[in-house]
């Protein structure tokens, strides 16, 4: 006997926007019009981490968030200003692809506008790069969009914004970022490249923050789990208000 098909159990609740056909996108968007925009960078992250750490981190966290809360993840934007390349007092000219603050602002404005046109009601912009004013520019643009479109919500954040300081603070390739990288893509990390006979410094190792030699996959997992819990609580509130 043929029973009415219940597609709600089998239909996806989330997906990668650029890898889906329109029917699949629309089925998800109808239920959960949330877009996740991972904003990354190509930036020198010392000898022990890959140049795409910020991009990998932002994209992976967005995927996990979408899996938990529903919605569509856009391709990572590896476009950043204020990289370690131009950080005062250090000399790391190689392996960073840097853009102007002006371009970051414009790219962000245009991307958010396009997401409005595509009908998204909640836009989560997660920045993997915490350089300043890069991060503030993204947040400022999101706030301007909140004023412009009061029936939608644009939430720009960095992962450490919603985590306690004793777990994670803004850092560059230090214990926090390195642990996250060990969790999401361990094959891309090599702690053996770091010196064993001296302290780790910003000037010599391009590390800002606590010792990355103490990074572990377990710490990365702990950071991810709490991030997902805290972010999901906020997304749940946004869903109540804006969907
Ligand atoms: Zn980084």
């Amino acid at each position: 006997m043929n029973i009415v098909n219940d597609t709600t159990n089998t239909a996806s609740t989330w997906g990668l926007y650029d890898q889906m056909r329109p029917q699949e996108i629309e089925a998800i968007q109808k239920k959960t019009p949330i877009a996740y925009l991972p904003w990354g960078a190509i930036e020198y992250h010392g000898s022990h981490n890959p140049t795409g750490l910020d991009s990998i981190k932002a994209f992976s966290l967005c995927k996990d968030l979408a899996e938990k809360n529903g919605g569509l993840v856009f391709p990572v934007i590896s476009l950043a200003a204020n990289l370690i390349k131009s950080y005062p007092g250090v000399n790391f000219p190689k392996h960073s692809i840097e853009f102007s603050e002006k371009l970051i602002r414009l790219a962000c404005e245009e991307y958010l506008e396009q997401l409005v046109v595509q009908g998204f009601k909640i836009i989560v912009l997660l920045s993997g790069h915490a350089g300043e004013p890069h991060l503030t520019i993204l947040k400022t643009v999101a706030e301007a969009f909140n004023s412009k479109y009061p029936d939608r919500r644009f939430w720009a954040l960095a992962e450490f914004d919603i985590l306690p300081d004793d777990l994670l603070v803004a850092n560059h390739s230090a214990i926090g970022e390195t642990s996250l990288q060990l969790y999401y893509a361990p094959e891309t990390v090599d702690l053996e490249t770091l010196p064993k006979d001296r302290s780790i410094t910003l000037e010599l190792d391009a590390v800002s923050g606590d010792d990355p030699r103490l990074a572990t996959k377990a710490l990365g997992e702990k950071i991810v789990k709490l991030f997902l819990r805290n972010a999901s609580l906020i997304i749940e509130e946004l869903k109540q208000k804006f969907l």
Side-chain angles (χ1 to χ4, degrees):
M1 195 176 98
N2 196 11
I3 306 170
V4 177
N5 281 332
D6 181 3
T7 54
T8 53
N9 290 331
T10 50
S12 288
T13 57
W14 76 282
L16 303 179
Y17 193 88
D18 65 337
Q19 294 180 37
M20 302 174 86
R21 293 181 297 279
Q23 306 89 312
E24 298 173 300
I25 289 172
E26 284 159 29
I28 292 171
Q29 201 179 0
K30 204 174 157 190
K31 273 188 288 188
T32 318
I34 303 180
Y36 302 86
L37 189 54
W39 204 294
I42 301 300
E43 182 183 26
Y44 182 61
H45 269 74
S47 62
H48 55 303
N49 275 314
T51 54
L53 188 150
D54 293 349
S55 294
I56 294 164
K57 178 178 62 172
F59 186 60
S60 304
L61 288 169
C62 279
K63 273 200 296 187
D64 283 352
L65 267 185
E67 194 171 358
K68 206 170 154 84
N69 299 283
L72 292 150
V73 183
F74 278 77
V76 66
I77 301 170
S78 294
L79 206 64
N82 316 116
L83 304 180
I84 196 159
K85 183 177 193 283
S86 51
Y87 198 81
V90 297
N91 185 27
F92 300 110
K94 290 179 77 179
H95 312 302
S96 290
I97 307 295
E98 187 166 59
F99 297 92
S100 68
E101 291 159 20
K102 190 176 150 194
L103 180 67
I104 301 307
R105 178 178 296 277
L106 189 61
C108 187
E109 286 169 349
E110 294 202 5
Y111 216 120
L112 295 188
E113 201 69 61
Q114 289 296 305
L115 295 176
V116 170
V117 172
Q118 292 304 321
F120 289 98
K121 303 285 279 181
I122 297 171
I123 288 105
V124 179
L125 190 170
L126 180 61
S127 181
H129 175 58
E132 287 294 1
H134 173 91
L135 180 56
T136 298
I137 290 169
L138 299 177
K139 288 178 177 176
T140 306
V141 171
E143 275 310 315
F145 271 71
N146 283 329
S147 302
K148 188 175 175 186
Y149 299 103
D151 60 330
R152 297 164 204 252
R153 188 71 198 176
F154 302 82
W155 181 30
L157 75 157
E159 75 281 2
F160 52 83
D161 284 345
I162 54 167
L163 290 171
D165 286 354
D166 60 355
L167 186 61
L168 189 71
V169 289
N171 70 100
H172 184 74
S173 229
I175 187 170
E177 281 202 327
T178 305
S179 293
L180 284 167
Q181 192 66 19
L182 280 170
Y183 176 70
Y184 279 126
E187 70 285 358
T188 63
V189 182
D190 188 356
L191 296 179
E192 291 301 308
T193 64
L194 291 166
K196 294 177 178 63
D197 54 347
R198 62 165 175 81
S199 303
I200 300 293
T201 70
L202 174 64
E203 293 75 18
L204 294 173
D205 308 296
V207 170
S208 172
D210 289 342
D211 196 337
R213 293 173 298 193
L214 303 174
T216 62
K217 188 176 183 169
L219 177 60
E221 185 175 12
K222 196 174 165 189
I223 294 168
V224 168
K225 290 216 164 120
L226 191 58
F227 171 82
L228 293 177
R229 200 179 81 187
N230 291 349
S232 298
L233 287 172
I234 294 168
I235 290 171
E236 197 46 52
E237 274 175 34
L238 296 179
K239 279 181 171 177
Q240 303 294 333
K241 281 189 200 161
F242 295 94
L243 298 194

